[in-house]
Amino acid sequence: MSEQKKVILTYEGVKKLEEELEFLKTVKRKEITEKIKVALGYGDLSENSEYDEAKNEQAFTEGRILQLENMLKNAVVVDESEISTDRVSIGSKVKIKDYEFDEEVEYVIVGSAEADPINYKISNESPVGAGLLGKKVGDVVEIIVPEGVNKFEVLGIRRD
């Protein structure tokens, strides 16, 4: 049997996953059970799209519950008090200058399970996240991204 991959999370990430899991187990399961009951009342299951839809939703939800439980079971939580401000690490808030767009951006480096690029949370496994790991303030780094090569300068490193 293969060894489970460790899931790197911040305390905030663990809390979000636990909240989603609780919602799915309590609220969502009840909603789906009710949908199935209603659909069963429509009769013939062979042509009952409401029943098929509810069963598909149930399968998806149960799959997500298993996925969340597995992620939490294999979680390695980053101790925010141990996050270095000398070098970029998981949990760091890093302010960078993006030379391609000539702008300053601040990212939080998180594990892949927490990545949310729209909210400036990038994975330690993404090209930019991996390229910034271990860098210090003042370092200029060129990182291969899908569009080519981008140049970044580390302007600041902090933790919340």
Side-chain angles (χ1 to χ4, degrees):
M1 187 164 161
S2 67
E3 190 174 313
Q4 288 291 328
K5 179 183 174 190
K6 292 295 178 195
V7 180
I8 300 170
L9 295 168
T10 62
Y11 286 117
E12 179 185 341
V14 169
K15 187 174 179 231
K16 280 185 175 182
L17 292 181
E18 287 174 341
E19 287 170 359
E20 181 184 355
L21 182 60
E22 184 64 22
F23 171 79
L24 292 176
K25 283 182 159 184
T26 56
V27 177
K28 195 68 175 172
R29 273 183 173 162
K30 287 178 185 167
E31 287 175 3
I32 293 169
T33 300
E34 193 55 39
K35 284 181 184 179
I36 290 172
K37 282 182 189 173
V38 169
L40 284 171
Y42 294 146
D44 186 7
L45 296 182
S46 66
E47 296 180 15
N48 189 331
S49 64
E50 288 86 358
Y51 178 78
D52 290 341
E53 187 177 314
K55 291 300 280 183
N56 286 339
E57 187 178 1
Q58 182 182 42
F60 176 81
T61 300
E62 293 303 321
R64 181 66 179 155
I65 287 171
L66 288 173
Q67 181 183 34
L68 290 170
E69 287 175 339
N70 196 36
M71 288 168 71
L72 289 167
K73 182 176 73 176
N74 292 297
V76 174
V77 181
V78 176
D79 185 345
E80 293 173 21
S81 68
E82 294 178 6
I83 296 170
S84 170
T85 55
D86 297 333
R87 292 188 177 273
V88 177
S89 62
I90 295 173
S92 294
K93 280 195 171 186
V94 58
K95 187 174 189 177
I96 59 171
K97 177 173 176 80
D98 182 334
Y99 283 93
E100 181 183 353
F101 295 106
D102 192 31
E103 66 181 2
E104 292 182 6
V105 185
E106 187 171 69
Y107 290 113
V108 179
I109 309 295
V110 296
S112 60
E114 272 184 270
D116 184 2
I118 292 170
N119 290 310
Y120 302 99
K121 292 182 175 186
I122 59 172
S123 167
N124 64 313
E125 297 175 13
S126 71
V128 174
L132 291 172
L133 286 176
K135 301 300 182 260
K136 300 180 295 196
V137 173
D139 284 354
V140 176
V141 61
E142 291 186 350
I143 299 172
I144 298 171
V145 295
E147 298 81 32
V149 177
N150 283 13
K151 185 174 164 183
F152 302 97
E153 180 180 351
V154 178
L155 302 175
I157 303 168
R158 65 185 182 91
R159 57 180 176 239
D160 271 342

